Amino acid sequence: MSKRDFLTLKDWSKEELKKLIDDAVRLKKERNEGVKHHHLEGQKLALIFEKSSTRTRVSFEVGFYELGGYPLFLSKNDIQLGRGETVADTARTLSRYVDGIMIRTFEHSKLEELARHASVPVINGLSDDFHPCQVMADVQTIYERFGTYDVKVAYLGDGNNMANSWLFGAAKFGIDFAVATPKGYECPAGVVEEARKEAEKNGSVIMTTNDPLEAVKDADVIYTDVWASMGQEDEATERVKAFSGFTVDKKLMEATGKKKTVFMHCLPAHLGEEVSEEVFESEQSIVFDEAENRLHAQKAIMVELMAQRSK
């Protein structure tokens, strides 16, 4: 049986991604109404964590359980991958036991190698380059809030895996996107170029700048992430200096020129660095709606990838 993976948003069409959002909204409604949806009954999902996480682990475990399946948590200390077994051998072995693999790791190339050698679907739970599941939850949250994809999102901060994923997410969904980064922390030029070409096809605009005020003009959403991600802790002091002026505070929220602008963050947040406590705790903040939607968006992805295997 052929299989498909969920490694980046660029690998999926606009129509496929919009269907996943529709499915996520439906699964959320069913859950809230107490309707059971055991679309993956009897299936097993391996959850490999080389990086720790609160939201990724709990949302995948709970989500797969609610779909009728059995999730297996595997830290780097639980499997031979952390002790020298090759990625290829890990992929081929796990494929004999489980129906899908989710991995949260460092190098994106490791994720691609795992997917290449696995005979079951592989889901990117985060790599150093991309975090597509988070952006799917973000887009679901925006769609529920505004009732349309015709919005502008301003991303302030590091040109990291979140910014890269948002570039492809905005381009696919036809969302106008402005990313403001300090000099020296820009998104990879190749990712920006590829996203711009896709955005043109879907009627949206991708803008890059080093000026937060320019990015937030007319924005419906201001989005940010931590300045030093996992594995970059030794750069924290240097980054605090470099990112000065990028804190999302009340002044930046008002600089959009719109009264209904919302604030989003993938969490965990460092209050006083990338966002002020005043904005984080305000009524404009919808960060916990995003966190909840990780559950629903990922359930839609797992059903799409794995449902055929249960028939």
Side-chain angles (χ1 to χ4, degrees), residues 37-205:
H37 37 231
H38 289 175
H39 301 295
L40 302 180
E41 188 167 5
Q43 293 206 32
K44 284 77 66 181
L45 176 69
L47 303 170
I48 302 174
F49 281 81
E50 293 193 309
K51 285 185 175 181
S52 59
S53 170
T54 300
R55 279 153 292 280
T56 299
R57 177 175 178 178
V58 177
S59 58
F60 267 107
E61 285 199 18
V62 171
F64 202 67
Y65 171 78
E66 290 183 354
L67 291 170
Y70 179 76
L72 297 92
F73 172 77
L74 302 169
S75 78
K76 62 182 180 182
N77 298 321
D78 296 324
I79 56 178
Q80 297 298 331
L81 186 61
R83 291 191 285 271
E85 184 166 57
T86 67
V87 173
D89 288 355
T90 299
R92 290 182 289 194
T93 301
L94 289 179
S95 296
R96 300 294 181 103
Y97 302 143
V98 301
D99 303 282
I101 302 170
M102 189 289 304
I103 181 169
R104 183 176 169 92
T105 188
F106 293 89
E107 303 93 342
H108 192 75
S109 58
K110 180 184 288 187
L111 179 81
E112 293 176 323
E113 185 178 2
L114 186 79
R116 196 160 55 246
H117 291 281
S119 59
V120 297
V122 173
I123 299 172
N124 180 1
L126 179 141
S127 70
D128 285 346
D129 293 349
F130 296 104
H131 196 3
C133 291
Q134 178 66 57
V135 171
M136 288 300 288
D138 298 337
V139 172
Q140 179 186 348
T141 307
I142 290 170
Y143 186 67
E144 290 174 338
R145 182 80 175 194
F146 294 96
T148 177
Y149 299 110
D150 186 16
V151 297
K152 176 183 176 181
V153 174
Y155 182 101
L156 308 185
D158 192 13
N160 61 8
N161 51 5
M162 279 307 311
N164 293 341
S165 298
W166 251 111
L167 280 165
F168 285 129
K172 290 287 186 180
F173 283 95
I175 294 172
D176 288 339
F177 187 67
V179 54
T181 57
K183 290 182 179 178
Y185 294 89
E186 290 88 354
C187 297
V191 174
V192 174
E193 182 181 358
E194 196 171 351
R196 277 196 170 126
K197 289 179 181 176
E198 185 70 23
E200 286 177 9
K201 290 191 288 186
N202 295 315
S204 64
V205 176

